[in-house]
Amino acid sequence: MKPLFVDNKKKKPLWTKAFLITSLSNLLLFFSFQMLIPTIPTHVSQLGGNDIQVGLVIGIFTISSLLTRPFAGRALDLFGRKHVLLVGLAICALTIAGYSYMAAVTLILTARFVHGIGWGMSTTSLGTVIADIIPAERRGEGMGYYGLSNTFAMALAPLTGLWLMQTYGFPRVLLISTLLALLSLLSSLFITYTKPLPLEKSAQRPKLMDRLWERSAMLPSGLLLCTAICYGGIVTFITLFGHEAGISNVGWFFLCNASMVLIVRPITGMLFDRKGPEWVLLPGALFTLAGLLLLSYAHSEASLAAAAICYGIGFGSLQPALQAWTIARAAPNRRGAANGTFFSANDLGIGLGAMVLGALANISGSYALMYRYSTVLILVFILIYGWCFWQARRGVQMAQH
């Protein structure tokens, strides 16, 4: 856990052509995807789908993406980044276009499974490509800026999708979403950079689990899992919590949260590079904890906005720092597997958050209590990382003596 400090005078450039194109491709892909999150469940409902089928629209997608990521990560290390990326983006674009011709709910659910495969391949690929491109001494800063493309899409795309659906209908949403996915594919064709070293051949064939998962990524991915479960509870139940608390417009939470993420990510990224992960992860966890507690006691739009500001500072700090730390711990020829492990933890956490915290809310009879109880996960985060940090410091001190 040594700080990744390098003399500023020797810093390599960050804003290269490859960095900009990869970030643009990621923005287009996420905007395409986020437009469908609030609209496709509504479309399925209009086709006559029941509550279970509407839930499966998100659940099946998450499951297929989760299952795909480890294999996508392995393929990235074996066959190269660009091949896997282009195939994944092509699957996304073709599947979104195909939704227009599906009038049966079962067909849409099948297509969602295929779409999840393309999503798992393309997002894991883009995360690995950007990790290859960003200079090691600017990894935290670079990941922070790269993550802004996700945040920008999360803030604007759902509103854009809903507006298009209400104004022009669902076919127009699919048309724009397909065009954005195709533009992401087109821009990715122009990504060029120095390829990482190939996988080293070993006399002993590695075990299947070691080929699919990266051991060095397990710690940051486990920490991400804790935060992702909490986030899954927020995105799934925040509207229902608003009804419970008497807050008419919960959209303020997403607006304030996204605004703080946009502000915080570049700052904490540079702090990560200069001081090390402990200067970002521990304060970020504390802000996340405070945000969840404030959310659980929110009773007005003002108090909801205050909760969102704290949570946005924490969330905006933790996710890119954990990803940068994951890449820093992995060998260059294992970055695909590392990213596959990392993103799988994120998908799993959001899915668990929707199911486990939903069951907790049902048992406790209160979404406010559910958010309060979810702070235990952040305490676990702090304890695990604190113990690992203490062990690492202790090892350094023993080595010096």
Side-chain angles (χ1 to χ4, degrees), residues 33 83 96 173 195 217 250 281 287 323 332 337 345 370 384 389 401:
F33 166 71
H83 296 90
I96 297 169
V173 176
K195 297 179 180 179
V250 296
L281 295 180
F287 271 105
Q323 188 176 4
M370 177 197 74
I384 291 175
F389 176 70
H401 291 81

Side-chain angles (χ1 to χ4, degrees), residues 36 74 81 119 137 150 260 302 356 370:
L36 297 178
R74 177 63 178 170
R81 315 320 198 197
W119 176 256
E137 67 271 19
N150 299 1
M260 292 311 302
V356 176
M370 177 197 74

Side-chain angles (χ1 to χ4, degrees), residues 19-35 89 119 126 145-157 180-181 183-184 187-188 262:
F19 180 85
L20 291 171
I21 294 176
T22 306
S23 298
L24 174 63
S25 179
N26 188 66
L27 171 63
L28 293 168
L29 177 64
F30 267 81
F31 212 99
S32 169
F33 166 71
Q34 292 285 344
M35 284 177 62
L89 290 172
W119 176 256
L126 285 167
Y145 282 118
Y146 173 75
L148 294 181
S149 57
N150 299 1
T151 306
F152 187 77
M154 289 170 62
L156 295 181
L180 289 170
L183 286 172
S184 178
S187 62
S188 295
L262 286 168

Side-chain angles (χ1 to χ4, degrees), residues 309-321:
I309 289 172
C310 280
Y311 187 83
I313 294 172
F315 183 76
S317 303
L318 291 179
Q319 200 275 343

Side-chain angles (χ1 to χ4, degrees), residues 249-260:
N249 185 11
V250 296
W252 283 104
F253 184 91
F254 294 104
L255 180 62
C256 294
N257 177 69
S259 299
M260 292 311 302

Side-chain angles (χ1 to χ4, degrees), residues 346-370:
N346 188 64
D347 290 343
L348 179 62
I350 292 175
L352 285 175
M355 293 184 293
V356 176
L357 294 182
L360 184 60
N362 186 55
I363 294 171
S364 65
S366 168
Y367 293 106
L369 285 175
M370 177 197 74

